[in-house]
Amino acid sequence: MKKIVILISGRGSNMEALIAARDAGQLPVDIAAVISNRPDAMGLETAARAGITAHFIDHKAFAGREAFDAALAECIDSFAPDLVVLAGFMRILKGEFLRVFANRVVNIHPSLLPAFPGLESWKQALDYGVKFTGCTVHFVDQGVDTGPIIAQQTVPVLTGDTAETLHQRIQQAEWELYPKAVGALARGAVRTQGRQTIWKEK
């Protein structure tokens, strides 16, 4: 069984979806640890209640990004994970960290990348006037939301939508898509070919 470590910064609603899928027998992984960059992250309590090792490494305690990233990498590496799964982790990972965990870091973003990268992408989509948006599971590379796409799910933009209502529906799609994508990666059902990812099974 593949082993994963989940990184969070707050509640970790996608982490909750992954734990629920594991508990339902739909996600064949061992969640070895949940790590937050914030000691007050609500998701740490959720992880502990689920019997998962919960750690925090406060990024404010370090002189800069590189020192924090090195400490985070050392902590993650102690669990020897096959995948590092970002679930609302509000730190940009770059440089040596991604070289250490090359092709093993995945994230979910609330838009149909490459459209609307960055923050509040649901608001970007609404302001732009698109008719469909959604969410994207992707590998993390040295850019921001630029890694190879693993899976996507569309969400219609409805008449009368607000940023809040659209965000809520995108989150529902994320909670469905992320466990499926992580499960496929864990089963070896996804392979990469350049920027393309090929699913061997549905």
Side-chain angles (χ1 to χ4, degrees), residues 40 74 142 184:
D40 59 348
E74 183 178 2
Q142 298 288 349

Side-chain angles (χ1 to χ4, degrees), residues 124-146:
Q124 294 182 55
L126 193 64
D127 290 346
Y128 200 86
V130 298
K131 302 305 180 186
F132 288 89
T133 183
C135 54
T136 302
V137 180
H138 63 96
F139 286 107
V140 178
D141 64 7
Q142 298 288 349
V144 177
D145 301 324
T146 56

Side-chain angles (χ1 to χ4, degrees), residues 103 112-115 117 136-152 190-199:
N103 303 315
L112 296 175
L113 292 173
T136 302
V137 180
H138 63 96
F139 286 107
V140 178
D141 64 7
Q142 298 288 349
V144 177
D145 301 324
T146 56
I149 290 169
I150 300 164
Q152 293 182 306
V190 177
R191 65 180 178 87
T192 58
Q193 184 174 315
R195 284 198 55 85
Q196 303 297 316
T197 57
I198 302 167
W199 285 56

Side-chain angles (χ1 to χ4, degrees), residues 15-92:
M15 174 202 71
E16 292 174 355
L18 292 166
I19 292 172
R22 179 204 65 174
D23 292 347
Q26 299 168 349
L27 181 59
V29 299
D30 170 18
I31 303 176
V34 170
I35 304 171
S36 175
N37 66 304
R38 294 182 55 184
D40 59 348
M42 291 175 55
L44 292 173
E45 295 182 10
T46 304
R49 285 197 301 269
I52 300 167
T53 299
H55 280 289
F56 71 84
I57 304 175
D58 190 349
H59 66 275
K60 295 179 181 178
F62 294 85
R65 179 196 300 275
E66 289 184 3
F68 169 74
D69 285 0
L72 179 62
E74 183 178 2
C75 182
I76 293 171
D77 200 42
S78 70
F79 295 99
D82 298 287
L83 288 173
V84 179
V85 180
L86 310 188
F89 186 66
M90 303 304 291
R91 298 281 298 178
I92 295 174

